[in-house]
Amino acid sequence: MRIAVGSDHRGQSIRLKIVELLRRLGQEVLDVGTDSAEPVDYPDFAALVARKVSSGEVERGILICGTGLGMCIAANKFPGVRAAPCHDDLTAEMSRRHNDLNVLCLSADMLGERLIDRMIEIWLNTPFEGGRHARRVEKITGFEREASSSPPN
Ligand code: RB5
């Protein structure tokens, strides 16, 4: 699977470990940075990953910042992106089964490395259940179409 991975300065060191893990697992990784501990703006890196998911250049994305929240808010502005912060095995699993999550957002500050590794493996290996969940996800996609076709008041 092709996976784009990005972080801000707070997520930089854990991102490097995630990239290694993904490569060990045989995934094709596009690492978009950031490449130093110098403070950067998380929306810039969310956009680099989310655009690739939105265009279909990659199937999935992983974003890391201090809380995982800012990355999630920014990534969800891109059509076709379904991003959410996950924080344990269950959220990692259900985000795939029910929500077809294509961008996993992680907190560098609140999650341990072993938990992150486990969550990533679960998230990569869990299929979307489809069926009634596909209908619900399609409704969310409909909201995107509605927003892009109706000019703001
Ligand atoms: C950066 O200080 C911090 O705001 C960022 O890493 C993230 O937690 C934002 O949601």
Side-chain angles (χ1 to χ4, degrees), residues 56-78:
E57 185 184 338
V58 298
E59 284 89 18
R60 305 262 190 105
I62 298 179
L63 287 166
I64 312 104
C65 64
T67 58
L69 299 178
M71 287 295 197
C72 170
I73 294 166
N76 277 317
K77 299 297 178 192
F78 291 79

Side-chain angles (χ1 to χ4, degrees), residues 80-140:
V81 167
R82 290 177 298 281
C86 293
H87 50 81
D88 57 15
D89 294 4
L90 187 62
T91 48
E93 181 187 337
M94 298 313 287
S95 75
R96 289 292 313 139
R97 284 201 190 290
H98 286 191
N99 312 114
D100 200 12
L101 200 80
N102 53 17
V103 176
L104 174 66
C105 299
L106 297 167
S107 162
D109 295 352
M110 292 179 273
L111 306 171
E113 197 181 322
R114 284 175 61 184
L115 173 60
I116 286 182
D117 287 1
R118 208 170 60 231
M119 285 168 58
I120 286 177
E121 290 211 42
I122 291 170
W123 185 72
L124 291 175
N125 294 323
T126 303
F128 179 45
E129 278 179 16
R132 66 186 188 282
H133 302 294
R135 185 182 71 237
R136 292 163 185 165
V137 168
E138 183 47 40
K139 287 188 178 183
I140 297 170

